[in-house]
Amino acid sequence: MASLRFGRLAVITLLAACGVASAQTPGDTLSRIKSTKTITLGVREAARPFSFLDENKRPVGYSVDLCLAAVDELKRELKLPELQVQYKVVSGAERIPKLLAREIDLECGSTTNTKARQEQVAFSYTMFVAQMRVLTPKDTPVTTLKDLDGLPLALSKGTTSEKLFTRLAETEVNLKLQVFPSNTEAYAALKAGKVRAFAQDDALLQGLASADGAADKFQLSTLALSVEPYGVMARKDDKALLAAVDRTLGRLYASGEADTLYRKWFVGDKLAIRMSRMTRDSILRPNKEAGVAMVLGYQL
């Protein structure tokens, strides 16, 4: 009887172990996509012009278009002409947790490739290179760190700017930091005069001000604090899925289609962001280099 109970226990334990292994099988996202005929993209609410909701609450933007091109690649490779795209809006603080929890398959936003994040997730080829700057009213120019001394400064939770400025406040300059749940709320605080500066990537700051029709009321700092290479984010065990994204980006870069998409989202009546040398270099020589905090001299 004892041996029978032991045998049953061993079977139950083995089945439980197999269940856990099955639930955590790495790199099986393509199999699930093929069986369910759906893929879920993580998008941002207000990361203009990369990923944002338009007036009809539809996800649009440069990063979204690049991800949709990758979806088309998957349709061909997996022979799934009816592959459906689902969207889930994620904030800066929850984008990595939701990716790791498999609530989204790819994150198509404005996420900087950093050494710290590489420990948790994987990144595609760089699709844009921003620089962290500070947005202030016209009467508050910022050319050095000392110009921020004592200023109430807004940060968006879960961003590289939060990490960098928290470190600066500890070691370099007297900063009065206020952390907000999103870029939208941080920008609203600046516009309302509750803070005097908002630190974030330059393209995102320009996108917010231009969409609001307030570009003439604010200015970007001449001081650049970091280099921020953006990539599509995937789970580390989804190598086949990420490879499809990289193939897509490589094709768009080589064909010149990426230039057309860039002009669509970055060059218009309200917003005009010329392609930087660093972004151009990333298109000519696709890479996955991590960001660098220039002002502190270390990788992000």
Side-chain angles (χ1 to χ4, degrees), residues 209-227:
S210 64
D212 188 42
D216 60 336
K217 298 178 182 178
F218 299 103
Q219 62 182 331
L220 283 174
S221 64
T222 57
L223 173 69
L225 295 104
S226 65
V227 175

Side-chain angles (χ1 to χ4, degrees), residues 2 20 28 46 61 74-75 88 94-95 103 107 112 136 145 160 169 204 213 226 230 233 237 241 258 275 282 288:
V20 171
D28 63 353
L74 290 172
K75 286 180 180 180
K88 180 182 284 288
E94 65 189 15
R95 53 191 160 179
E103 294 183 34
E107 195 263 344
T112 302
T136 58
L145 277 177
T160 52
L204 296 176
S226 65
Y230 294 171
M233 192 164 56
D237 58 22
L241 177 59
M275 185 179 289
S282 294
K288 301 187 180 189

Side-chain angles (χ1 to χ4, degrees), residues 67 106-108 122-125 127 230-234 242 245 249:
C67 280
L106 296 170
E107 195 263 344
C108 312
F123 289 90
S124 70
Y125 287 141
M127 60 184 180
Y230 294 171
V232 176
M233 192 164 56
L242 187 58
V245 176
L249 293 179

Side-chain angles (χ1 to χ4, degrees), residues 20 24 26 60 70 88 101 113 135 142 152 183 194 217-218 225 254 277 287 292:
V20 171
Q24 297 178 349
V60 294
K88 180 182 284 288
N113 179 351
L135 188 69
V142 174
N183 287 338
K194 296 178 181 178
K217 298 178 182 178
F218 299 103
L225 295 104
R277 177 183 57 79
N287 67 84
V292 178

Side-chain angles (χ1 to χ4, degrees), residues 49-63:
F50 300 94
S51 181
F52 61 99
L53 303 182
D54 65 11
E55 59 274 10
N56 298 315
K57 300 299 181 183
R58 182 172 60 100
V60 294
Y62 181 64
S63 303

Side-chain angles (χ1 to χ4, degrees), residues 273-288:
I273 301 177
R274 186 165 58 98
M275 185 179 289
S276 70
R277 177 183 57 79
M278 289 185 290
T279 297
R280 172 58 63 191
D281 285 349
S282 294
I283 289 176
L284 294 176
R285 288 174 286 276
N287 67 84
K288 301 187 180 189

Side-chain angles (χ1 to χ4, degrees), residues 68-136:
L68 290 177
V71 171
D72 287 338
E73 179 83 6
L74 290 172
K75 286 180 180 180
R76 290 188 293 270
E77 291 184 2
L78 301 178
K79 297 179 173 56
L80 287 176
E82 299 179 359
L83 179 57
Q84 299 296 310
V85 177
Q86 298 178 342
Y87 297 99
K88 180 182 284 288
V89 176
V90 296
S91 68
E94 65 189 15
R95 53 191 160 179
I96 290 179
K98 287 188 178 298
L99 179 68
L100 296 179
R102 300 185 180 272
E103 294 183 34
I104 59 176
D105 298 314
L106 296 170
E107 195 263 344
C108 312
S110 55
T111 300
T112 302
N113 179 351
T114 72
K115 282 292 187 183
R117 287 172 177 163
Q118 286 176 13
E119 295 179 2
Q120 294 182 281
V121 298
F123 289 90
S124 70
Y125 287 141
T126 297
M127 60 184 180
F128 184 88
V129 183
Q131 289 185 297
M132 191 188 301
R133 298 183 188 271
V134 179
L135 188 69
T136 58

